[in-house]
Amino acid sequence: MDNIIYKGEGERIDKFLVGHFGYSRNFFHHIIKRKGICINNKPIKKSYKLKNGDNISIEKLERFITGEVLEDFAYIDLEILKEEYDYLVIKKPKGVISHPGSIWDVSTPSVVGFLYQKYKKLPSIGNFIRAGLIHRLDKETSGPMIIAKTEKGLSHFKKLFKEKSESIGIQQKEEVPLKKFYTAECTTTPNGKSFLDQIELPHYIQEIVYPKVPNIRKPKEGITKILSKQNKGKNIILFIEILTGRTHQIRYHLSSKGLPILGDYLYGKKDDHKLNLECSRLEFLDTNNEYIVVDI
């Protein structure tokens, strides 16, 4: 429970809560109606006007979250690359998050927001904030994403991704009928040039990933497969397949070899470029036992 001592006079409780937490007035009306917010230990109405020194106590907000909150999702329109009864494949653009990180982010444009606006209710591995999602792409990475439309689709793809994750070694992972391919434009440092000169393609980078993000309890090994390369002026474009899906895996692995991705302010040089990393192809066995290839 959160406790806030109000300083001021005459402000409506719902208006104050919106300003303090940055969430919608309807959301707090929903909580007040269920007596989740008290003033001086007493339930109040949504029209209550605060007095200086009032003690505002708020129950843990997540207790009151329901699918109604999804009405606050920002509307965006995304391209549908393929649609079947059990699933669809959408194209996520750069700058759009896959799903909100918490209830406070639901008004940020996201893939889940698009899905809710178009389909309303989709199955979810976790809570409603991730409804329909099987996997994700980082905010600044564009590319295709598989979305589950039915429980059958959710179960099928959940099993496929789990098989990819739990298979042991490179050979077993490559046998799983699920493949994700990326293109990355990299700047070439002296170390990066030396690295590329010494390897034969395809080449596997099989090393621990240490992402620069909070709350990573135990860094894990990632496997990044460099398939081919193509010169682009002073830069180089790498064509890649990932055999694991660690956070920032491609960005970290390439940077560690002296090949930071253009526009990568975390693992490379901060500049005006956007992150030049794109998921360019998905291959997978679908619910109809067909092997599907989706290219961008």
Side-chain angles (χ1 to χ4, degrees), residues 70-129:
L70 296 179
E71 295 293 345
D72 286 338
F73 269 131
Y75 177 79
I76 59 171
D77 193 20
L78 299 181
E79 181 181 357
I80 296 175
L81 301 172
K82 181 177 179 60
E83 183 163 10
E84 298 291 341
Y85 182 79
D86 293 310
Y87 71 93
L88 67 143
V89 181
I90 61 96
K91 181 180 180 181
K92 189 191 86 65
K94 292 181 182 294
V96 173
I97 59 176
S98 296
H99 61 79
S102 69
I103 59 171
W104 311 118
D105 298 330
V106 296
S107 60
T108 302
S110 67
V111 171
V112 172
F114 162 75
L115 295 173
Y116 179 75
Q117 296 293 346
K118 187 171 179 63
Y119 297 96
K120 291 301 181 185
K121 294 183 179 180
L122 294 178
S124 175
I125 293 175
N127 58 40
F128 68 85
I129 281 179

Coordinates of all heavy atoms in Angstrom, one line a residue, residues 70-129:
L70 N -7.0 -1.8 -21.1 CA -6.6 -1.8 -22.5 C -7.2 -0.7 -23.4 O -6.7 -0.4 -24.4 CB -6.8 -3.2 -23.1 CG -6.0 -4.3 -22.4 CD1 -6.3 -5.6 -23.1 CD2 -4.5 -4.0 -22.5
E71 N -8.4 -0.2 -22.9 CA -9.1 0.8 -23.7 C -8.2 2.1 -23.8 O -8.4 2.9 -24.7 CB -10.4 1.2 -23.0 CG -11.4 0.0 -23.0 CD -11.9 -0.3 -24.4 OE1 -11.7 0.5 -25.4 OE2 -12.5 -1.4 -24.6
D72 N -7.2 2.2 -22.9 CA -6.3 3.3 -22.9 C -5.1 3.2 -23.9 O -4.3 4.0 -24.0 CB -5.8 3.7 -21.5 CG -6.8 4.3 -20.6 OD1 -7.8 4.8 -21.2 OD2 -6.7 4.2 -19.4
F73 N -5.0 2.0 -24.5 CA -3.9 1.8 -25.5 C -4.0 2.8 -26.6 O -5.1 3.1 -27.1 CB -4.0 0.4 -26.1 CG -3.3 -0.7 -25.3 CD1 -3.9 -1.9 -25.0 CD2 -1.9 -0.5 -25.0 CE1 -3.2 -2.9 -24.3 CE2 -1.2 -1.4 -24.3 CZ -1.8 -2.6 -23.9
A74 N -2.8 3.3 -27.0 CA -2.8 4.3 -28.1 C -3.1 3.5 -29.4 O -2.7 2.4 -29.6 CB -1.4 4.9 -28.2
Y75 N -3.9 4.1 -30.3 CA -4.2 3.5 -31.5 C -3.0 3.7 -32.5 O -2.6 4.8 -32.8 CB -5.5 4.1 -32.1 CG -5.8 3.5 -33.5 CD1 -6.4 2.2 -33.5 CD2 -5.4 4.1 -34.7 CE1 -6.6 1.6 -34.8 CE2 -5.7 3.5 -35.9 CZ -6.3 2.3 -35.9 OH -6.5 1.6 -37.1
I76 N -2.6 2.6 -33.1 CA -1.6 2.6 -34.2 C -2.1 1.6 -35.2 O -2.8 0.7 -34.9 CB -0.2 2.3 -33.7 CG1 -0.1 1.0 -33.1 CG2 0.4 3.4 -32.8 CD1 1.4 0.5 -32.8
D77 N -1.6 1.7 -36.4 CA -1.9 0.8 -37.5 C -0.6 0.1 -37.9 O 0.4 0.8 -38.3 CB -2.5 1.5 -38.6 CG -3.2 0.5 -39.6 OD1 -3.5 -0.6 -39.2 OD2 -3.4 0.9 -40.8
L78 N -0.6 -1.2 -37.9 CA 0.6 -2.0 -38.3 C 0.3 -2.9 -39.5 O -0.9 -3.3 -39.7 CB 1.1 -2.9 -37.1 CG 1.5 -2.2 -35.8 CD1 2.0 -3.2 -34.8 CD2 2.6 -1.1 -36.1
E79 N 1.3 -3.1 -40.3 CA 1.1 -4.0 -41.5 C 1.1 -5.4 -41.1 O 1.9 -5.9 -40.3 CB 2.3 -3.7 -42.4 CG 2.2 -4.5 -43.7 CD 3.4 -4.3 -44.7 OE1 4.3 -3.5 -44.3 OE2 3.4 -5.0 -45.7
I80 N 0.0 -6.1 -41.6 CA -0.1 -7.6 -41.4 C 0.5 -8.3 -42.6 O 0.0 -8.1 -43.8 CB -1.6 -8.0 -41.3 CG1 -2.1 -7.3 -40.0 CG2 -1.7 -9.5 -41.2 CD1 -3.6 -7.6 -39.8
L81 N 1.6 -9.0 -42.4 CA 2.3 -9.7 -43.5 C 1.6 -11.0 -43.9 O 1.7 -11.4 -45.1 CB 3.7 -9.9 -43.1 CG 4.5 -8.7 -42.7 CD1 5.9 -9.1 -42.2 CD2 4.7 -7.8 -43.9
K82 N 1.0 -11.7 -42.9 CA 0.4 -13.0 -43.2 C -0.7 -13.2 -42.1 O -0.4 -12.9 -40.9 CB 1.4 -14.1 -43.2 CG 0.8 -15.5 -43.5 CD 1.8 -16.6 -43.6 CE 1.3 -17.9 -43.8 NZ 0.5 -18.0 -45.1
E83 N -1.8 -13.7 -42.5 CA -2.9 -14.0 -41.5 C -3.5 -15.4 -41.8 O -4.0 -15.6 -42.9 CB -3.9 -12.9 -41.4 CG -4.9 -13.2 -40.3 CD -5.7 -11.9 -40.0 OE1 -5.6 -10.9 -40.7 OE2 -6.5 -12.0 -38.9
E84 N -3.6 -16.2 -40.7 CA -4.2 -17.5 -40.7 C -5.2 -17.5 -39.6 O -5.3 -16.6 -38.8 CB -3.2 -18.6 -40.7 CG -2.3 -18.7 -41.8 CD -2.9 -19.1 -43.1 OE1 -4.0 -19.6 -43.1 OE2 -2.3 -18.8 -44.2
Y85 N -6.0 -18.6 -39.5 CA -7.0 -18.7 -38.4 C -6.3 -18.6 -37.0 O -6.8 -18.0 -36.1 CB -7.8 -20.0 -38.6 CG -8.9 -20.1 -37.5 CD1 -10.1 -19.4 -37.7 CD2 -8.7 -20.9 -36.4 CE1 -11.1 -19.5 -36.7 CE2 -9.7 -21.0 -35.4 CZ -10.9 -20.3 -35.6 OH -11.9 -20.4 -34.6
D86 N -5.2 -19.4 -36.9 CA -4.6 -19.5 -35.5 C -3.5 -18.5 -35.2 O -3.1 -18.3 -34.1 CB -4.0 -20.9 -35.4 CG -5.0 -22.0 -35.4 OD1 -6.0 -21.9 -34.6 OD2 -4.9 -23.0 -36.1
Y87 N -3.1 -17.8 -36.2 CA -2.0 -16.8 -36.0 C -1.9 -15.8 -37.1 O -2.5 -15.9 -38.1 CB -0.6 -17.6 -35.9 CG -0.1 -18.1 -37.3 CD1 0.7 -17.4 -38.1 CD2 -0.6 -19.4 -37.7 CE1 1.1 -17.9 -39.3 CE2 -0.2 -19.9 -39.0 CZ 0.7 -19.1 -39.8 OH 1.1 -19.6 -41.0
L88 N -1.1 -14.8 -36.9 CA -0.8 -13.8 -37.9 C 0.7 -13.4 -37.7 O 1.3 -13.6 -36.7 CB -1.7 -12.6 -37.9 CG -1.7 -11.7 -36.7 CD1 -1.9 -10.2 -37.2 CD2 -2.7 -12.0 -35.7
V89 N 1.2 -12.8 -38.7 CA 2.6 -12.2 -38.7 C 2.5 -10.7 -39.0 O 1.9 -10.4 -40.1 CB 3.5 -12.9 -39.7 CG1 4.9 -12.3 -39.5 CG2 3.6 -14.4 -39.4
I90 N 2.9 -9.9 -38.1 CA 2.8 -8.4 -38.3 C 4.3 -7.9 -38.5 O 5.2 -8.5 -38.2 CB 2.1 -7.7 -37.2 CG1 2.9 -7.9 -35.8 CG2 0.7 -8.2 -37.0 CD1 3.9 -6.8 -35.4
K91 N 4.3 -6.7 -39.1 CA 5.6 -6.0 -39.2 C 5.7 -4.9 -38.2 O 4.9 -4.0 -38.2 CB 5.8 -5.4 -40.6 CG 7.2 -4.7 -40.8 CD 7.3 -4.1 -42.2 CE 8.6 -3.4 -42.3 NZ 8.8 -2.8 -43.7
K92 N 6.7 -5.1 -37.2 CA 6.9 -4.0 -36.2 C 7.8 -3.0 -36.7 O 9.0 -3.3 -37.1 CB 7.4 -4.6 -34.9 CG 7.4 -3.6 -33.8 CD 8.2 -4.1 -32.6 CE 9.7 -3.8 -32.7 NZ 10.0 -2.4 -32.7
P93 N 7.5 -1.7 -36.7 CA 8.4 -0.7 -37.2 C 9.3 -0.2 -36.0 O 9.1 -0.6 -34.9 CB 7.5 0.5 -37.6 CG 6.3 0.3 -36.7 CD 6.1 -1.2 -36.5
K94 N 10.4 0.5 -36.4 CA 11.3 1.0 -35.4 C 10.5 2.0 -34.5 O 9.6 2.7 -35.0 CB 12.5 1.7 -36.0 CG 13.4 0.8 -36.7 CD 14.6 1.6 -37.3 CE 15.6 0.7 -38.1 NZ 16.3 -0.2 -37.2
G95 N 10.9 2.1 -33.2 CA 10.3 3.1 -32.4 C 9.0 2.7 -31.7 O 8.4 3.4 -30.8
V96 N 8.5 1.5 -32.0 CA 7.3 0.9 -31.4 C 7.7 -0.2 -30.5 O 8.4 -1.1 -30.9 CB 6.3 0.4 -32.5 CG1 5.1 -0.3 -31.8 CG2 5.8 1.6 -33.3
I97 N 7.2 -0.2 -29.2 CA 7.6 -1.3 -28.3 C 6.7 -2.5 -28.6 O 5.6 -2.3 -29.1 CB 7.4 -0.8 -26.8 CG1 6.0 -0.3 -26.5 CG2 8.4 0.3 -26.5 CD1 5.7 0.0 -25.1
S98 N 7.2 -3.7 -28.2 CA 6.4 -4.9 -28.4 C 5.2 -4.9 -27.4 O 4.1 -5.2 -27.8 CB 7.3 -6.1 -28.2 OG 8.3 -6.2 -29.2
H99 N 5.5 -4.6 -26.2 CA 4.4 -4.5 -25.2 C 4.8 -3.5 -24.1 O 6.0 -3.2 -23.9 CB 4.2 -5.9 -24.5 CG 5.5 -6.5 -23.9 ND1 5.8 -6.1 -22.6 CD2 6.4 -7.3 -24.3 CE1 7.0 -6.7 -22.2 NE2 7.3 -7.5 -23.2
P100 N 3.9 -3.0 -23.3 CA 4.2 -2.1 -22.2 C 5.0 -2.8 -21.2 O 4.8 -4.0 -20.9 CB 2.8 -1.7 -21.7 CG 1.9 -2.0 -22.8 CD 2.4 -3.2 -23.5
G101 N 6.0 -2.1 -20.6 CA 6.8 -2.7 -19.5 C 6.0 -2.8 -18.2 O 6.3 -3.6 -17.3
S102 N 4.9 -2.0 -18.1 CA 4.1 -2.0 -16.9 C 2.8 -1.3 -17.3 O 2.6 -0.8 -18.4 CB 4.7 -1.2 -15.7 OG 4.8 0.2 -16.0
I103 N 1.8 -1.2 -16.3 CA 0.6 -0.6 -16.6 C 0.7 0.9 -16.9 O -0.1 1.5 -17.5 CB -0.4 -0.8 -15.4 CG1 0.2 -0.1 -14.1 CG2 -0.8 -2.2 -15.1 CD1 -0.8 -0.1 -12.9
W104 N 1.8 1.5 -16.5 CA 2.0 2.9 -16.7 C 2.4 3.2 -18.1 O 2.3 4.3 -18.6 CB 3.2 3.4 -15.8 CG 2.9 3.0 -14.4 CD1 3.8 2.2 -13.6 CD2 1.8 3.3 -13.5 NE1 3.2 2.0 -12.4 CE2 2.0 2.6 -12.3 CE3 0.7 4.0 -13.7 CZ2 1.1 2.7 -11.2 CZ3 -0.2 4.1 -12.6 CH2 0.0 3.5 -11.4
D105 N 2.7 2.2 -18.9 CA 3.1 2.4 -20.3 C 2.0 2.1 -21.3 O 2.3 2.0 -22.5 CB 4.4 1.5 -20.6 CG 5.6 1.9 -19.8 OD1 5.7 3.1 -19.4 OD2 6.4 1.0 -19.5
V106 N 0.8 1.8 -20.9 CA -0.2 1.3 -21.8 C -0.6 2.3 -22.8 O -1.1 2.0 -23.9 CB -1.4 0.7 -21.1 CG1 -1.1 -0.5 -20.3 CG2 -2.1 1.8 -20.3
S107 N -0.3 3.6 -22.6 CA -0.7 4.7 -23.5 C 0.4 4.9 -24.5 O 0.3 5.7 -25.5 CB -1.0 6.0 -22.8 OG 0.1 6.4 -22.0
T108 N 1.6 4.2 -24.4 CA 2.6 4.3 -25.4 C 2.3 3.4 -26.6 O 1.9 2.2 -26.4 CB 4.0 3.8 -24.7 OG1 4.2 4.6 -23.6 CG2 5.1 3.9 -25.7
P109 N 2.5 3.8 -27.8 CA 2.2 3.0 -29.0 C 3.0 1.6 -28.9 O 4.2 1.6 -28.7 CB 2.7 3.8 -30.1 CG 2.6 5.2 -29.7 CD 2.9 5.2 -28.2
S110 N 2.3 0.6 -29.1 CA 2.9 -0.8 -28.9 C 2.2 -1.8 -29.9 O 1.1 -1.5 -30.3 CB 2.7 -1.3 -27.5 OG 1.4 -1.5 -27.2
V111 N 2.8 -2.9 -30.1 CA 2.2 -4.0 -30.8 C 1.0 -4.5 -30.2 O -0.1 -4.7 -30.8 CB 3.2 -5.1 -31.0 CG1 2.6 -6.4 -31.7 CG2 4.4 -4.7 -31.9
V112 N 1.0 -4.7 -28.8 CA -0.1 -5.2 -28.1 C -1.3 -4.2 -28.2 O -2.5 -4.6 -28.3 CB 0.2 -5.4 -26.6 CG1 -1.0 -5.7 -25.8 CG2 1.2 -6.6 -26.5
G113 N -1.0 -2.9 -28.2 CA -2.0 -1.9 -28.4 C -2.8 -2.1 -29.7 O -4.0 -2.0 -29.8
F114 N -2.0 -2.3 -30.8 CA -2.6 -2.5 -32.1 C -3.4 -3.8 -32.1 O -4.6 -3.8 -32.6 CB -1.5 -2.7 -33.1 CG -1.9 -3.4 -34.4 CD1 -2.7 -2.7 -35.4 CD2 -1.5 -4.7 -34.7 CE1 -3.1 -3.3 -36.5 CE2 -1.9 -5.3 -35.8 CZ -2.7 -4.6 -36.8
L115 N -2.9 -4.8 -31.5 CA -3.7 -6.1 -31.4 C -5.0 -5.9 -30.7 O -6.0 -6.5 -31.1 CB -2.8 -7.2 -30.8 CG -1.5 -7.6 -31.5 CD1 -0.7 -8.5 -30.7 CD2 -1.9 -8.2 -32.9
Y116 N -4.9 -5.2 -29.6 CA -6.2 -5.0 -28.8 C -7.2 -4.2 -29.6 O -8.4 -4.6 -29.7 CB -5.9 -4.3 -27.5 CG -7.2 -4.1 -26.7 CD1 -7.8 -5.2 -26.1 CD2 -7.8 -2.9 -26.7 CE1 -9.0 -5.0 -25.4 CE2 -9.0 -2.7 -26.1 CZ -9.6 -3.7 -25.4 OH -10.8 -3.6 -24.8
Q117 N -6.8 -3.2 -30.3 CA -7.7 -2.3 -31.0 C -8.3 -3.1 -32.2 O -9.5 -2.9 -32.5 CB -6.9 -1.1 -31.6 CG -6.4 -0.2 -30.5 CD -7.5 0.5 -29.7 OE1 -8.6 0.5 -30.1 NE2 -7.1 1.2 -28.6
K118 N -7.6 -4.0 -32.8 CA -8.1 -4.8 -33.9 C -8.8 -6.1 -33.6 O -9.8 -6.4 -34.2 CB -6.9 -5.1 -34.9 CG -7.4 -5.7 -36.2 CD -6.2 -5.8 -37.2 CE -6.7 -6.4 -38.5 NZ -7.7 -5.6 -39.2
Y119 N -8.3 -6.8 -32.5 CA -8.8 -8.1 -32.2 C -9.5 -8.2 -30.8 O -10.1 -9.2 -30.5 CB -7.7 -9.2 -32.3 CG -7.1 -9.3 -33.7 CD1 -6.0 -8.6 -34.0 CD2 -7.7 -10.1 -34.7 CE1 -5.4 -8.7 -35.3 CE2 -7.2 -10.2 -35.9 CZ -6.0 -9.5 -36.3 OH -5.5 -9.6 -37.5
K120 N -9.3 -7.2 -30.0 CA -9.8 -7.1 -28.7 C -9.3 -8.2 -27.7 O -8.5 -7.9 -26.8 CB -11.4 -7.2 -28.7 CG -12.0 -6.0 -29.3 CD -11.6 -4.8 -28.5 CE -12.3 -3.5 -29.0 NZ -11.9 -2.3 -28.4
K121 N -9.6 -9.5 -27.9 CA -9.1 -10.5 -26.9 C -8.3 -11.6 -27.7 O -8.8 -12.3 -28.5 CB -10.3 -11.1 -26.2 CG -11.0 -10.1 -25.3 CD -12.1 -10.8 -24.5 CE -12.8 -9.8 -23.6 NZ -13.9 -10.5 -22.8
L122 N -7.0 -11.7 -27.3 CA -6.2 -12.7 -27.8 C -5.6 -13.5 -26.6 O -5.5 -13.0 -25.5 CB -5.0 -12.1 -28.6 CG -5.4 -11.4 -29.9 CD1 -4.2 -10.8 -30.6 CD2 -6.1 -12.4 -30.9
P123 N -5.2 -14.8 -26.8 CA -4.6 -15.5 -25.7 C -3.3 -15.0 -25.3 O -2.6 -14.3 -26.0 CB -4.5 -16.9 -26.3 CG -4.4 -16.7 -27.8 CD -5.2 -15.5 -28.0
S124 N -2.9 -15.3 -24.0 CA -1.7 -14.7 -23.5 C -0.9 -15.7 -22.7 O -1.5 -16.5 -21.9 CB -1.9 -13.5 -22.6 OG -0.8 -13.0 -22.0
I125 N 0.4 -15.7 -22.8 CA 1.3 -16.6 -22.0 C 1.3 -16.0 -20.6 O 1.3 -16.8 -19.6 CB 2.7 -16.6 -22.6 CG1 2.7 -17.3 -23.9 CG2 3.7 -17.3 -21.6 CD1 4.1 -17.3 -24.6
G126 N 1.3 -14.7 -20.4 CA 1.4 -14.1 -19.1 C 0.1 -13.3 -18.9 O -1.0 -13.8 -19.0
N127 N 0.2 -12.0 -18.5 CA -0.9 -11.2 -18.2 C -1.4 -10.5 -19.5 O -0.9 -10.7 -20.6 CB -0.6 -10.1 -17.2 CG 0.5 -9.3 -17.6 OD1 0.7 -8.9 -18.7 ND2 1.4 -8.9 -16.6
F128 N -2.5 -9.8 -19.4 CA -3.2 -9.2 -20.6 C -2.3 -8.2 -21.3 O -2.5 -7.9 -22.5 CB -4.5 -8.5 -20.2 CG -4.3 -7.3 -19.4 CD1 -4.1 -6.1 -19.9 CD2 -4.4 -7.4 -18.0 CE1 -3.9 -4.9 -19.2 CE2 -4.2 -6.2 -17.2 CZ -3.9 -5.0 -17.8
I129 N -1.3 -7.7 -20.6 CA -0.4 -6.7 -21.2 C 0.4 -7.3 -22.4 O 0.9 -6.6 -23.3 CB 0.5 -6.0 -20.2 CG1 -0.2 -5.0 -19.4 CG2 1.8 -5.4 -20.8 CD1 0.6 -4.3 -18.3

